[in-house]
């Protein structure tokens, strides 16, 4: 239904009057909604920036909260005049900080498992049957058993052994040689004295157990470290050098030792400390920008100021359980400047070493305390990581603030819809009132015209 045009009867420009009132009413109310929407959107953007910054900083904190991060070693290898990756021959790994040093290592023998073969000509076909009973397999302390039925062929026996419960690494195979099928058992158990044995409880099974020949015996791995012979039941030497695990994969040439050098990976620790300083300063800049009283989108958010305050408090605190030589970031050369940012100075003052020199000395000579200051029970990185998690957790400060702002923005959308409905009613009410006025004025105008016509003087005729 078309909306009637107001003012037709009276001749007044009532449409302009109605339009002016509607615009004025909407402007006041809409301005409030727009302001709230802009504020909520800016805050939500600020919370998003805060969340991203905290997450980025937490990535650094998680590394520094792990004590093993600081107790890493660096291994270098040289073989036949070339340095680089020698994992095809030997690789080394460490647990904790080791004394380190340089070692000449020769690999003369790799650990191997054992193998048993059935006698040539014992079988004419892989479908031969051999008897019934129970086979018992053993290698070192490992054992398992397989039940054999009278109707089982060599192929059936092969399948039963390979799928047997408790099989410790025995593989049965059939080689179809010119002398007929050969049944083989290969054991993965290495080390001297661990050669595979197979027994039975029925002599009909001798051909696939006690009568099989040993084609390969189990052996230890053998290496020489600076002229000292060391053996291992496997190709892994767990403590041939204190704190260092060696894994051998191939033999070295006779008289050509591989040179292994192990030392503390100070470069990696230094990088991690610098990453912490950089991450802290980047986060501090973000917090200052977000909480700026004039331009910050989270200027009135107490949670930001609270985090910033706690950040500085934890960073400047002392850590217990150290040797006493160091207990704070300051002791290792990390200081806080007037802007609240961390720095590692390159210039010493009053004859004292620079921050960079103090850090280098701490990592080189007191790595254990460095690790405790960051990752100890009350270490700085650990405390900051735990505190940051209270902001980023699913029920944390940032998550709840983000959810509240999104809900507020939904309320803004709802308020806009309510405003549209209100303005429709408001305009309808105005039209109703001005239409009545229009009718009244039209009636007055009609009455006035009638009276004028009645009272109009009669023209005289000549």
């Amino acid at each position: 239904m078309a909306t009637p045009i107001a003012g037709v009867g009276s001749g007044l420009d009532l449409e302009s009057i109605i339009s002016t009132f509607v615009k004025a009413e909407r402007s006041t109310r809409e301005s409030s909604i727009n302001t709230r929407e802009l504020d909520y959107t800016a805050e939500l953007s600020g919370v998003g920036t805060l969340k991203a910054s905290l997450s980025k900083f937490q990535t650094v904190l998680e590394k520094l909260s792990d004590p093993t991060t600081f107790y890493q070693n660096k291994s270098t290898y040289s073989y036949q005049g070339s340095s680089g990756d020698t994992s095809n021959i030997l690789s080394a790994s460490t647990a904790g900080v080791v004394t380190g040093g340089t070692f000449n290592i020769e690999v003369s023998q790799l650990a191997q498992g054992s193998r048993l073969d059935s006698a040539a000509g014992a079988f004419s076909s892989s479908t031969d049957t051999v008897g019934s009973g129970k086979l018992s397999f053993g290698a070192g302390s490992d054992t398992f058993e397989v039940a054999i039925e009278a109707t089982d062929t060599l192929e059936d026996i092969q399948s039963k052994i390979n799928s047997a419960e408790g099989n410790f690494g025995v593989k049965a195979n059939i080689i179809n040689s010119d002398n007929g099928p050969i049944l083989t058992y290969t054991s993965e158990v290495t080390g001297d004295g661990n050669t595979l044995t197979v027994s039975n409880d029925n002599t009909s099974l001798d051909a696939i157990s006690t009568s099989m020949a040993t084609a390969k015996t189990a052996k230890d791995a053998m290496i020489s470290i600076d002229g000292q012979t060391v053996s291992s039941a496997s190709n892994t030497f767990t403590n041939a050098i204190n704190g260092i695990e060696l894994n051998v994969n191939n033999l070295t040439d006779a008289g050509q030792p591989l040179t292994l050098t192990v030392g503390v990976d100070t470069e990696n620790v230094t990088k991690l400390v610098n990453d912490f300083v950089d991450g802290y300063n980047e986060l501090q800049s973000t917090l200052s920008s977000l909480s700026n009283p004039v331009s910050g989108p989270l200027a009135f958010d107490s949670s930001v100021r609270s985090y910033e305050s706690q950040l500085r408090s934890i960073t400047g605190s002392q850590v217990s359980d150290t040797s006493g030589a160091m207990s704070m970031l300051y002791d290792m050369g990390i200081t806080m400047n007037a802007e609240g940012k961390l720095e590692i100075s390159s210039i010493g003052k009053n004859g004292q070493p620079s921050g960079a020199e103090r850090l280098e000395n701490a990592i080189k000579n007191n790595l254990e305390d460095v690790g405790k200051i960051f990752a100890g029970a009350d270490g700085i990185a650990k405390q900051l990581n735990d505190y940051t998690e209270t902001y980023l957790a699913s029920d944390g400060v940032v998550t709840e603030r983000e959810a509240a702002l999104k809900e507020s923005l939904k309320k803004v959308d709802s308020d806009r819809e309510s405003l549209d409905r209100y303005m429709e009613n408001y305009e309808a009410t105005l039209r109703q009132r001005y239409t009545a006025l229009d009718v009244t004025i039209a009636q007055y105008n009609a009455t006035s015209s009638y009276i004028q016509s009645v009272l109009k003087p009669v023209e005289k005729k000549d």
Side-chain angles (χ1 to χ4, degrees):
M1 180 177 177
T3 302
I5 299 175
V8 173
S10 64
L12 298 176
D13 189 6
L14 296 181
E15 284 294 329
S16 294
I17 295 173
I18 293 172
S19 176
T20 300
F21 274 113
V22 169
K23 286 180 179 178
E25 183 71 11
R26 175 178 284 278
S27 176
T28 301
R29 295 174 180 271
E30 195 168 48
S31 176
S32 174
I33 293 175
N34 289 341
T35 298
R36 283 190 292 125
E37 183 178 40
L38 288 172
D39 288 344
Y40 293 148
T41 301
E43 284 187 61
L44 186 60
S45 176
V47 170
T49 300
L50 174 63
K51 185 177 182 178
S53 297
L54 291 178
S55 296
K56 185 176 182 180
F57 187 47
Q58 190 177 44
T59 300
V60 177
L61 295 176
E62 286 173 346
K63 292 181 182 178
L64 290 165
S65 298
D66 182 0
T68 61
T69 298
F70 297 89
Y71 308 135
Q72 297 183 37
N73 300 283
K74 186 176 182 180
S75 300
T76 58
Y77 307 85
S78 176
Y79 182 59
Q80 295 183 343
S82 298
S83 299
D85 183 16
T86 60
S87 56
N88 62 315
I89 298 176
L90 176 146
S91 62
S93 58
T94 58
V97 177
V98 300
T99 304
T102 299
F103 310 93
N104 291 316
I105 303 173
E106 292 186 63
V107 184
S108 56
Q109 180 174 289
L110 296 179
Q112 70 175 24
S114 53
R115 173 176 155 173
L116 303 180
D117 292 351
S118 64
F123 309 108
S124 60
S125 170
S126 58
T127 59
D128 286 356
T129 58
V130 293
S132 63
K134 182 168 61 180
L135 294 177
S136 298
F137 293 80
S141 60
D142 297 313
T143 61
F144 73 94
E145 296 179 342
V146 178
I148 307 299
E149 304 295 334
T151 56
D152 286 341
T153 65
L154 287 182
E155 291 177 342
D156 294 331
I157 294 169
Q158 174 192 13
S159 178
K160 280 189 172 183
I161 293 170
N162 290 337
S163 61
E165 183 178 354
N167 188 325
F168 50 77
V170 174
K171 301 296 182 184
N173 286 288
I174 298 173
I175 300 174
N176 293 303
S177 72
D178 292 342
N179 296 318
I182 304 295
L183 180 65
T184 69
Y185 302 143
T186 303
S187 169
E188 296 177 356
V189 180
T190 60
D192 291 350
N194 292 330
T195 295
L196 179 67
T197 60
V198 186
S199 59
N200 62 67
D201 63 356
N202 189 324
T203 57
S204 65
L205 300 178
D206 283 354
I208 59 171
S209 56
T210 55
S211 296
M212 296 180 75
T214 302
K216 186 169 68 174
T217 59
K219 294 181 180 179
D220 284 347
M222 302 284 292
I223 64 173
S224 169
I225 303 176
D226 292 339
Q228 303 301 315
T229 300
V230 184
S231 60
S232 171
S234 71
N235 287 322
T236 298
F237 293 77
T238 57
N239 207 29
I241 304 171
N242 277 346
I244 302 175
E245 182 178 280
L246 302 175
N247 288 283
V248 297
N249 301 305
N250 220 322
L251 304 180
T252 55
D253 291 340
Q256 297 287 320
L258 180 150
T259 301
L260 167 67
T261 302
V262 179
V264 177
D265 190 357
T266 57
E267 291 180 4
N268 183 58
V269 176
T270 301
K271 181 182 182 302
L272 284 171
V273 173
N274 280 293
D275 286 347
F276 170 77
V277 172
D278 292 341
Y280 179 99
N281 290 341
E282 183 178 346
L283 177 61
Q284 183 61 54
S285 294
T286 300
L287 294 175
S288 297
S289 176
L290 291 174
S291 62
N292 185 289
V294 177
S295 60
L298 301 180
F300 305 105
D301 194 323
S302 62
S303 63
V304 177
R305 294 192 297 274
S306 177
Y307 184 91
E308 190 172 14
S309 174
Q310 193 68 4
L311 178 68
R312 294 188 181 189
S313 175
I314 292 174
T315 304
S317 65
Q318 282 190 320
V319 175
S320 62
D321 198 32
T322 63
S323 67
M326 294 194 308
S327 60
M328 303 176 66
L329 291 180
Y330 174 84
D331 297 329
M332 66 173 71
I334 304 174
T335 55
M336 186 175 292
N337 61 26
E339 297 177 353
K341 293 186 176 181
L342 299 179
E343 62 181 12
I344 303 172
S345 64
S346 57
I347 301 174
K349 295 181 180 179
N350 302 320
Q352 297 297 316
S354 68
E357 290 170 333
R358 299 210 313 270
L359 177 60
E360 181 182 4
N361 180 66
I363 293 174
K364 183 177 180 181
N365 300 311
N366 202 352
L367 186 58
E368 185 174 357
D369 278 351
V370 172
K372 288 181 178 179
I373 289 174
F374 279 104
D378 62 342
I380 289 169
K382 187 176 185 305
Q383 288 189 67
L384 287 176
N385 188 44
D386 291 345
Y387 186 66
T388 301
E389 185 60 24
T390 66
Y391 274 64
L392 295 177
S394 58
D395 58 347
V397 175
V398 171
T399 306
E400 291 183 350
R401 185 76 180 114
E402 193 173 41
L405 287 168
K406 287 180 179 178
E407 200 60 39
S408 295
L409 282 172
K410 288 182 181 179
K411 180 65 168 59
V412 168
D413 291 337
S414 176
D415 289 347
R416 280 194 194 284
E417 294 174 0
S418 297
L419 175 61
D420 289 338
R421 291 191 296 271
Y422 168 78
M423 292 309 303
E424 288 177 6
N425 293 331
Y426 179 75
E427 182 176 355
T429 300
L430 284 178
R431 286 189 177 280
Q432 185 179 24
R433 290 175 179 174
Y434 280 103
T435 298
L437 175 63
D438 190 32
V439 171
T440 300
I441 293 175
Q443 291 173 344
Y444 284 150
N445 287 340
T447 301
S448 174
S449 296
Y450 172 74
I451 293 173
Q452 286 180 0
S453 67
V454 171
L455 296 177
K456 183 178 181 181
V458 180
E459 294 183 0
K460 295 182 179 180
K461 295 182 180 180
D462 292 336

